[in-house]
């Protein structure tokens, strides 16, 4: 089986890279056609467009991995079944699980490569795509979304009515300390400005109200320097910021947000869980793909390939739904993320009972 193992692994990886390349090229052509008018209207340099397409291609590779792995396995296995190779392998006394070994090796190589890409390469590509869209395709925004709420520390909450990124200035700022549902102190200011000279915030026309058991203390002033665990970058982060961080940076960001007591730390934790979970999908889908396509059919491999597309899309939809539920604040986010893998693992074990012996 050693020679056959090498041939299967070679064909598997070769088919995988071919399918990846074809699907990415098709999507890139469609994306370029859709955005070409904006490229011309905004006079986007050709070099920037090429870099954007390269980064977007890497992003698509991560998104399409379940489909490409499944289709590659379906294609290779159905071709072997059509040539009666699987029957010959099993008739020689080789077990079905032994025949799966080269497929698992190929899937493991793809899974390891996907983990390395997800952890250290794709975040930079995702950041490049986000920056390109923000610079050339999105309409210019002079201020971020209104009504910004940030948890700067446990029991301490900051609020800005409107923040202008051009001058690092916010209006109608409040900083509240709340413990056990009771307001302990509230600092308000008409404006908050980032002072680049000392890297701290300066409050203009501020008012401080401190509540005590015996009463309250009310203080006002024109200018006050204050240190907060937030910077202007915290008010201008892209919505997919957690996807643009390399794995070491993601771990550091999680620690910072946990120390700050921020509510959005769950998004960063889920992103970390996804990066460790994704490589297992390649092995799992390979297992199911071989089982589905191992039977020889009169109609050829067209039905198996179509079925492969269908199952791969079902997996992606289940993954997206489970991630949405996890980000919504479920009590067990890891379990929610693993639901697609658990469901497909059970499906694979059930299908395994039907494979030819």
């Amino acid at each position: 089986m050693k020679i056959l193992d090498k041939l299967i692994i070679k064909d598997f990886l070769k088919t995988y890279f071919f399918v990846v390349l074809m699907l990415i090229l098709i999507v890139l052509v469609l994306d370029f056609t859709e955005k070409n008018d904006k490229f011309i209207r905004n006079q986007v340099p050709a070099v920037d467009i090429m870099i954007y397409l390269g980064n977007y291609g890497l992003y698509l590779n991560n998104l399409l991995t379940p489909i490409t792995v499944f289709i590659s396995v379906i294609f290779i296995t159905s071709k072997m079944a059509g040539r009666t190779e699987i029957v010959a392998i099993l008739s020689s006394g080789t077990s079905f699980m032994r025949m799966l070994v080269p497929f698992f090796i190929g899937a493991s190589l793809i899974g390891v490569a996907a983990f390395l890409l997800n952890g250290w390469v794709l975040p930079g590509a995702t950041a490049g795509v986000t920056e390109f869209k923000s610079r050339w395709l999105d309409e210019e925004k002079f201020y971020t979304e209104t009504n910004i709420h940030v948890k700067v520390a446990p029991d301490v909450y900051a609020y800005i009515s409107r923040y202008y990124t051009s001058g690092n200035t916010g209006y109608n700022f409040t900083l509240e300390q709340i413990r056990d549902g009771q307001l302990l102190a509230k600092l308000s200011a008409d404006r908050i400005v980032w002072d680049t000279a000392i890297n701290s915030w300066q409050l203009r026309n501020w008012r401080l109200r401190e509540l005590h058991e015996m009463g309250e203390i009310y203080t006002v002033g024109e200018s006050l320097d204050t240190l907060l665990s937030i910077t202007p970058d915290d008010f201008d982060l892209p919505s997919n910021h957690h996807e643009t961080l390399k794995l070491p940076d993601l771990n550091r960001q999680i620690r910072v947000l946990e120390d700050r007591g921020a509510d959005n730390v769950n998004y960063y934790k889920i992103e970390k869980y996804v990066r460790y979970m994704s490589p297992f999908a390649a092995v799992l889908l390979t297992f199911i793909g071989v089982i589905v396509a191992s039977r020889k059919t009169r109609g050829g491999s067209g039905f198996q390939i179509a079925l492969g597309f269908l199952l791969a899309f079902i997996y992606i939809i289940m993954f997206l739904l489970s991630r949405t539920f996890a980000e919504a604040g479920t009590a067990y986010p890891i379990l929610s993320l693993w639901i697609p893998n658990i469901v497909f693992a059970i499906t694979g074990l059930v299908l395994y009972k039907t494979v030819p012996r």
Side-chain angles (χ1 to χ4, degrees), residues 21-264:
L21 182 61
M22 289 298 100
L23 288 179
I24 289 178
L25 287 178
I26 291 173
V27 176
L28 288 181
V29 169
L30 295 176
D31 183 73
F32 177 81
T33 303
E34 179 185 359
K35 295 182 173 63
N36 189 41
D37 291 339
K38 290 186 177 180
F39 292 157
I40 297 175
R41 184 169 58 253
N42 297 332
Q43 298 181 350
V44 183
V47 176
D48 289 352
I49 296 177
M50 296 302 296
I51 295 176
Y52 159 73
L53 293 177
N55 288 331
Y56 191 45
L58 289 174
Y59 171 79
L60 290 173
N61 175 63
N62 178 51
L63 182 64
L64 297 175
T65 293
I67 297 178
T68 52
V69 169
F70 214 20
I71 297 306
S72 302
V73 172
I74 292 287
F75 182 80
I76 293 297
T77 308
S78 61
K79 186 170 64 174
M80 293 176 60
R83 296 195 296 243
T84 325
E85 293 177 0
I86 292 181
V87 175
I89 293 173
L90 298 179
S91 299
S92 66
T94 302
S95 66
F96 191 85
M97 291 301 298
R98 174 61 183 88
M99 189 190 70
L100 284 171
V101 170
F103 289 98
F104 283 153
I105 293 176
S108 299
L109 293 175
I110 294 174
V112 171
F115 175 75
L116 296 176
L117 287 174
N118 287 336
W120 285 269
V121 179
L122 291 179
T126 303
V129 172
T130 302
E131 181 182 357
F132 178 87
K133 290 182 177 180
S134 176
R135 179 181 180 184
W136 297 110
L137 302 181
D138 296 339
E139 295 181 0
E140 185 178 2
K141 295 183 179 180
F142 296 99
Y143 55 86
T144 61
E145 294 183 2
T146 58
N147 301 322
I148 303 170
H149 297 266
V150 179
K151 191 174 184 179
V152 299
D155 304 327
V156 180
Y157 303 85
Y159 166 78
I160 296 179
S161 174
R162 179 168 296 179
Y163 183 80
Y164 289 83
T165 57
S166 58
N168 293 332
T169 303
Y171 291 86
N172 297 328
F173 169 79
T174 61
L175 186 69
E176 298 178 333
Q177 183 180 8
I178 302 175
R179 185 175 303 162
D180 297 329
Q182 294 184 347
L183 179 65
L184 302 180
K186 181 175 181 179
L187 177 63
S188 305
D190 293 340
R191 284 192 300 160
I192 180 172
V193 182
W194 177 256
D195 191 338
T196 56
I198 58 176
N199 289 331
S200 69
W201 295 99
Q202 188 176 79
L203 305 182
R204 306 287 173 81
N205 298 326
W206 59 273
R207 301 163 299 278
L208 175 61
R209 181 188 177 195
E210 299 175 278
L211 303 178
H212 304 280
E213 294 181 358
M214 303 302 295
E216 66 178 56
I217 300 176
Y218 189 76
T219 312
V220 298
E222 294 184 358
S223 179
L224 176 67
D225 293 333
T226 182
L227 293 176
L228 299 175
S229 61
I230 54 176
T231 66
D233 292 337
D234 293 316
F235 295 107
D236 196 27
L237 293 176
S239 58
N240 64 337
H241 180 242
H242 51 284
E243 298 178 0
T244 64
L245 297 176
K246 296 179 181 179
L247 193 56
D249 298 330
L250 182 62
N251 290 327
R252 283 193 292 269
Q253 182 70 7
I254 291 174
R255 290 194 294 268
V256 169
L257 294 177
E258 286 180 337
D259 293 339
R260 185 186 297 173
D263 294 331
N264 63 338

Side-chain angles (χ1 to χ4, degrees), residues 4 122 311:
L4 184 59
L122 291 179
L311 293 176

